[in-house]
Amino acid sequence: MLKGKKILLGISGSIAAYKSILLVRMLVKAGAEVRVVMTPSAKDFVSPLTLSTLSRHPVLVDLFDEAAWANHVMLGRWADLMLIAPLSCNTLGKMANGLCDNLLLAVYLSATCPVWVAPAMDEDMWHHPTTKKNLLALEGYGNRVLPVGKGELASGLVGDGRMAEPEDILDNIEQFFSSSQEFAGKKVLITAGPTYEPLDPVRFIGNHSSGKMGIALALEMANRGAAVELVLGPGVQHLAHPGINVTRVKTAEEMYDAAVSRFKDSNVAIMAAAVADYTPVTVAEEKIKKQEEGLVIALKKTRDILKSLGELKQPGQLLVGFALETNNEEANAIEKLQKKNADMIVLNSLNDQGAGFGIDTNKVTIFDRSGNSNAYPVKSKSAVARDIVDAILNLNHA
Ligand code: CTP
């Protein structure tokens, strides 16, 4: 039930706008107070009169309508949740780049509440690299992207790009409000991304980690009320979220120092970084010149951050690690759980389709200290982050 919850629904120009009519009805029926903001082109798809009748409030469209303009900041502050459904390609591109040529965009840019989007577009537009880049940008700003469905599209083609169904959106909103702030007052430490171990001023030893899983976890925790300390490796897109304090590091040693110094104050620590296990014994001051046929580089072990935190762990602190495996996955993951004194290990196998570096999906199995294990299907990294955070909650209450 959504009694007393204030939902601001933004509608942009897409055929899927017809679904918003149903959505408004369902939200109002569930007890929510709904206000609607439309882009001018959305009016070509649904009538403001229908929406104002169903929401029982005037629908706002014009940027230069004096009352609406004065209200645009207040609306973003009034709402408990802003949902843009459908999100067209055009509005997505503008949101990703901070453009502000209509009221919906002005409200979006002023919103202080969580913002969700439900994209709707034809399959080819959905798969265009710009769309992917813009959606990642929104996720980086802390917005939640609801997954699109597969099926018949307005073009007559069948494929990905359908706006999420109103029933599913409502389920997600109800779930969000019933569980949204479970981590309020909690501090969560997260490591993410690769480390770069320098060989000389130009070269380093690194790995393919994109940091996406750790960033998804940071956003999920922050959206559920946690104060997040994110220790983020190099080469990873920066993110700005009021609930996330980002510390940038390069090497395994810098990551170790940043994580250990922040652990004492943390209720939960999640080690999602792909930390180098070895680093060069010496770093050449000048660029290493080409010499003989081969080159041997002496390496020394880095310190294991997860293992060190496992040794420092106090009662009441919960420690989560990852295990990336290519063989003997389960046995190796359980061994890591025990050896590093973690409470939970998230296993991802490079053998699984849809799991691994640089992609937007993952497939995980979660093992916990009580001997439970749970295997999940392939999901987006933000959905996997939700599963991991739910599992942490369950373990905390166990
Ligand atoms: N980890 C860490 N510090 C390191 C190495 C790993 O904190 N120096 C953490 C990772 O963040 C991850 C977990 O340990 O949470 C497991 O990492 P993984 O690379 O799978 O395992 P390793 O312990 O490095 O063992 P191996 O490479 O032999 O599989």
Side-chain angles (χ1 to χ4, degrees):
M1 275 291 128
L2 296 174
K3 203 159 173 42
K5 297 295 174 208
K6 303 184 184 95
I7 314 275
L8 182 59
L9 177 66
I11 303 180
S12 61
S14 153
I15 283 284
Y18 76 90
K19 291 187 184 173
S20 317
I21 298 175
L22 205 60
L23 186 57
V24 173
R25 257 195 81 199
M26 292 165 81
L27 288 169
V28 170
K29 239 181 153 179
E33 198 181 328
V34 181
R35 300 281 172 107
V36 179
V37 190
M38 297 171 83
T39 63
S41 72
K43 285 201 294 186
D44 294 335
F45 296 92
V46 277
S47 121
L49 181 62
T50 313
L51 292 160
S52 63
T53 310
L54 290 174
S55 68
R56 301 173 194 146
H57 289 287
V59 168
L60 303 167
V61 182
D62 290 322
L63 185 58
F64 298 109
D65 168 333
E66 234 174 82
W69 174 250
N71 264 341
H72 79 270
V73 174
M74 291 327 294
L75 269 176
R77 291 190 169 203
W78 165 85
D80 296 313
L81 176 72
M82 178 176 189
L83 166 69
I84 303 177
L87 173 71
S88 68
C89 236
N90 188 34
T91 296
L92 166 63
K94 290 179 182 176
M95 286 168 68
N97 292 288
L99 300 188
C100 185
D101 66 354
N102 63 42
L103 186 66
L104 187 149
L105 293 165
V107 174
Y108 165 67
L109 289 168
S110 340
T112 51
C113 60
V115 179
W116 293 11
V117 298
M121 55 198 81
D122 245 303
E123 188 176 29
D124 297 334
M125 292 166 95
W126 173 249
H127 288 300
H128 195 279
T130 318
T131 306
K132 299 277 165 252
K133 186 179 120 232
N134 287 339
L135 286 169
L136 275 180
L138 291 200
E139 287 192 320
Y141 309 149
N143 305 156
R144 175 164 163 191
V145 179
L146 298 176
V148 295
K150 204 184 185 88
E152 203 172 308
L153 300 163
S155 58
L157 296 172
V158 173
D160 293 326
R162 279 174 65 87
M163 182 178 123
E165 296 307 322
E167 293 80 2
D168 295 336
I169 296 180
L170 185 71
D171 273 359
N172 273 298
I173 294 178
E174 286 184 332
Q175 212 179 354
F176 171 72
F177 281 118
S178 63
S179 66
S180 60
Q181 295 299 301
E182 310 106 321
F183 285 89
K186 302 280 182 213
K187 291 191 173 157
V188 177
L189 168 67
I190 298 176
T191 62
T195 62
Y196 289 174
E197 308 304 318
L199 284 165
D200 68 15
V202 247
R203 305 176 180 99
F204 60 83
I205 300 173
N207 60 65
H208 292 300
S209 169
S210 61
K212 285 179 179 174
M213 196 57 246
I215 286 180
L217 278 162
L219 290 169
E220 180 65 19
M221 278 293 191
N223 287 337
R224 286 160 84 157
V228 177
E229 282 291 337
L230 177 63
V231 180
L232 191 57
V236 176
Q237 185 197 340
H238 196 77
L239 80 167
H241 186 293
I244 304 175
N245 183 39
V246 182
T247 305
R248 299 301 305 235
V249 295
K250 282 205 179 80
T251 62
E253 194 177 349
E254 286 171 14
M255 191 172 272
Y256 178 92
D257 289 341
V260 168
S261 66
R262 284 161 181 74
F263 183 57
K264 198 158 63 69
D265 294 330
S266 308
N267 303 96
V268 177
I270 309 175
M271 301 294 101
V275 190
D277 290 331
Y278 292 92
T279 191
V281 173
T282 52
V283 181
E285 271 184 32
E286 307 297 340
K287 185 180 167 207
I288 301 171
K289 286 303 209 186
K290 230 187 340 279
Q291 301 157 355
E292 311 301 317
E293 276 304 290
L295 172 68
V296 176
I297 297 164
L299 300 173
K300 61 179 183 202
K301 241 186 175 166
T302 58
R303 285 181 289 186
D304 190 315
I305 307 169
L306 178 63
K307 190 158 179 277
S308 304
L309 299 193
E311 286 158 9
L312 295 169
K313 193 171 66 171
Q314 298 296 316
Q317 285 185 305
L318 198 140
L319 183 59
V320 181
F322 274 72
L324 178 68
E325 306 293 343
T326 55
N327 61 322
N328 277 340
E329 290 94 344
E330 197 173 319
N332 285 338
I334 293 170
E335 195 188 321
K336 276 179 192 165
L337 179 87
Q338 289 159 352
K339 258 194 173 162
K340 302 195 187 193
N341 193 25
D343 299 291
M344 186 184 284
I345 286 279
V346 182
L347 163 71
N348 33 145
S349 163
L350 274 189
N351 295 328
D352 281 327
Q353 273 225 333
F357 290 127
I359 56 174
D360 295 323
T361 53
N362 203 359
K363 183 173 183 302
V364 302
T365 306
I366 298 180
F367 298 87
D368 70 27
R369 60 173 182 233
S370 322
N372 302 313
S373 73
N374 210 343
Y376 297 81
V378 177
K379 295 185 179 192
S380 73
K381 285 189 173 163
S382 17
V384 172
R386 273 196 291 286
D387 290 338
I388 294 172
V389 173
D390 285 342
I392 291 172
L393 268 177
N394 287 340
L395 191 59
N396 240 355
H397 293 149

